[in-house]
Amino acid sequence: MKRPIIGITGGYAKYDSYSKGVFAHHDYHHSVLACNGVPLILPIVDAETLKAQIDLCDGIIFSGGMDIDPFFYNEEPHQQLGELYPDRDEFEIEAIRYALAQKKPLLAICRGLQIFNVALGGTLFQDIPSQVENTFNHSQKPPRKRPTHWVYLEGESRLKQIFETDKVRVNSLHHQAIHHVADSLVVVGKASDGIIEAVEYPNHPFAVAVQWHPESMTKECALMKKLFQTFVNVSGQTI
Ligand code: MN
């Protein structure tokens, strides 16, 4: 049987003047490999080429990374806004719209969840600690794999089907979060302080977005491994 090809959107990183370019944390491709998928890192390209990239893939992971330029949801920059790379924002907004139109399975992670919401018309909190009252710490210290807070799953959802439980313990490496949810997305998980931690796009083979980093938990946590395995399996079914 053909192994599903899983595209992973790449960010930009600069290590020194000799080493700069596409970056994707290795936990993404390690988790895809652990589920028998074929990982492929996608560089930022123009709108036509990205369609060809997505056509090649059986499923797409929208990976974590820098903050999203608030220009894309019509806000001015907050004082605590982090580092930006607007070329990536533009690429991923187009990629999400195209992947949805093609019914391509997608798993959006951390920044991926945020850009998913922005691509469909939603907005973000640019900095949780200074913009939302009575929240707990969502920017944990390493190691990435360590779970630090609970997520409570709401309603009937793909995630609840996969996890077969009402709450999961997750890691948390974000200072931004969804503010206004895009009309076409459904909130399916929240933290106890009200921060949105999971959304889904209904009537699609698999379009799940999580605010935590399951790719860094698949070795230790059977539930996160099952999330990845289900995504890779659904991607395989569309081949
Ligand atoms: Mn969190």
Side-chain angles (χ1 to χ4, degrees), residues 145 216-222:
K145 64 182 181 183
S216 298
M217 300 175 72
T218 50
K219 272 189 200 149
E220 285 81 14
C221 175

Side-chain angles (χ1 to χ4, degrees), residues 138 149 172 174 197:
H138 286 267
H149 73 70
S172 192
H174 60 112
E197 291 275 343

Side-chain angles (χ1 to χ4, degrees), residues 65-102:
M66 295 175 192
D67 285 359
I68 293 162
D69 189 338
F71 166 78
F72 294 106
Y73 49 95
N74 297 316
E75 282 186 18
E76 300 293 3
H78 185 274
Q79 295 285 7
Q80 300 303 320
L81 182 65
E83 211 178 333
L84 305 178
Y85 198 75
D87 286 357
R88 182 182 181 189
D89 301 338
E90 231 171 329
F91 166 76
E92 288 189 332
I93 286 169
E94 285 298 317
I96 280 170
R97 291 175 183 164
Y98 185 70
L100 287 177
Q102 299 301 307

Side-chain angles (χ1 to χ4, degrees), residues 20-82:
K20 51 186 176 181
V22 183
F23 174 80
H25 193 285
H26 61 190
D27 286 352
Y28 294 101
H29 80 257
H30 288 162
S31 289
V32 169
L33 283 171
C35 297
N36 205 35
V38 178
L40 206 61
I41 311 291
L42 307 178
I44 298 160
V45 294
D46 62 86
E48 276 311 301
T49 311
L50 82 82
K51 290 177 184 170
Q53 282 181 336
I54 289 170
D55 290 343
L56 284 174
C57 297
D58 302 306
I60 316 280
I61 292 173
F62 288 85
S63 66
M66 295 175 192
D67 285 359
I68 293 162
D69 189 338
F71 166 78
F72 294 106
Y73 49 95
N74 297 316
E75 282 186 18
E76 300 293 3
H78 185 274
Q79 295 285 7
Q80 300 303 320
L81 182 65

